[in-house]
Structure formats: structure tokens, C-alpha cells
Amino acid sequence: MEAIERVCAFLKEAGTYYLATVDGDQPRVRPFGTAAIIDGKLYIQTGKVKDVSKQLAANPKFEICAFKDGIWVRVSGKFVNDDSRETKVKMLEEYPSLRRMYSEDDDNTQVLYIEEGTATFSSFTAAPETVTF
């Protein structure tokens, strides 16, 4: 399994992951649940009106942490905004429950993909394994 597919599968299986951003000099962390590979890139989705969107616009560096079955992954890199309607459609097809709040045609839906991604899989029983994508 390719690194990007492994990371996406882990995030989906975990169900909830935690996304950290920077707000000035203050770290901010919140739960997220979207992850999809679209055109070979790992995407998440949020709303442009949210603080997380503003924080990523000011500083696109992030870290994600997810845990399941005694294993955790930390993912870091930079998020790149993708305003294409086609990508928004694909993300909302992957997560149809989001359609209650978002549309590919609204001015709020935001999809971002990871650039320069690094993921480290860790546990208390095995050496850490780092992959890049």
C-alpha cells in the first residue's frame, strides 16, 4: 500500500483525528473527520468561515494526530487550498452528510490537500515508522 493510501486509511478507520494549527503564537487543536484521496492527493474539508481556515491561510503548516488499536499517527506538512468545484463535489460525494452544511457552489466549502506530507506511525510495542507523500 502506498504511503498516502496508508495514511488516509488510518485516518478514516480512526474516525476522528485532531488537527493542530497556529493562531499567532498559540497552538489550536480541534477534532476533524474528513480524509479523501482525490487525484492522488490527500484532502480534508472545512468551512472558510471557521477559525481553522483563517489560521491555515496565515500559516499553512499543520499537524494531525489520530489513534486506533494502540497505534497513533502524526501527520505534518502544508495545506494547499483547492477551490475547484470538481474537487469539492468529490469530497461531498465521499461525505454526503456534509451536504446539510456545505455545497460545492457555496462560498464557504473549502477543500485542502497536503503538500510535503510526512507521517510517523508509532506504538509502545514497535519502533516508529515514518513515510512521506
Side-chain angles (χ1 to χ4, degrees):
M1 180 183 301
E2 284 189 49
I4 195 168
E5 292 169 340
R6 182 175 174 200
V7 171
C8 187
F10 191 97
L11 295 176
K12 285 181 172 224
E13 290 168 15
T16 300
Y17 58 86
Y18 297 87
L19 171 63
T21 58
V22 178
D23 183 11
D25 66 348
Q26 178 65 46
R28 302 288 181 194
V29 180
R30 79 281 290 153
F32 261 68
T34 55
I37 297 174
I38 301 171
D39 299 327
K41 299 174 186 171
L42 180 53
Y43 280 83
I44 69 161
Q45 185 276 333
T46 192
K48 291 179 182 177
V49 299
K50 294 182 177 181
D51 288 342
V52 65
S53 176
K54 295 171 182 77
Q55 292 157 10
L56 288 170
N59 181 350
K61 293 181 181 178
F62 71 92
E63 189 155 289
I64 287 172
C65 186
F67 181 85
K68 75 173 186 72
D69 300 331
I71 300 170
W72 61 94
V73 67
R74 288 181 29 229
V75 183
S76 62
K78 296 178 189 174
F79 274 123
V80 177
N81 187 57
D82 181 345
D83 266 333
S84 73
R85 184 178 189 281
E86 178 182 325
T87 304
K88 291 176 185 179
V89 167
K90 288 178 182 178
M91 179 61 84
L92 293 171
E93 286 174 350
E94 183 103 9
Y95 292 92
S97 64
L98 292 175
R99 288 204 173 273
R100 294 180 310 215
M101 300 176 288
Y102 299 101
S103 162
E104 57 272 12
D105 296 317
D106 66 22
D107 291 329
N108 184 36
T109 301
Q110 183 175 31
V111 289
L112 305 117
Y113 66 87
I114 296 174
E115 186 175 78
E116 300 173 16
T118 299
T120 301
F121 293 86
S122 301
S123 75
F124 292 117
T125 59
E129 181 186 357
T130 300
V131 298
T132 59
F133 57 96

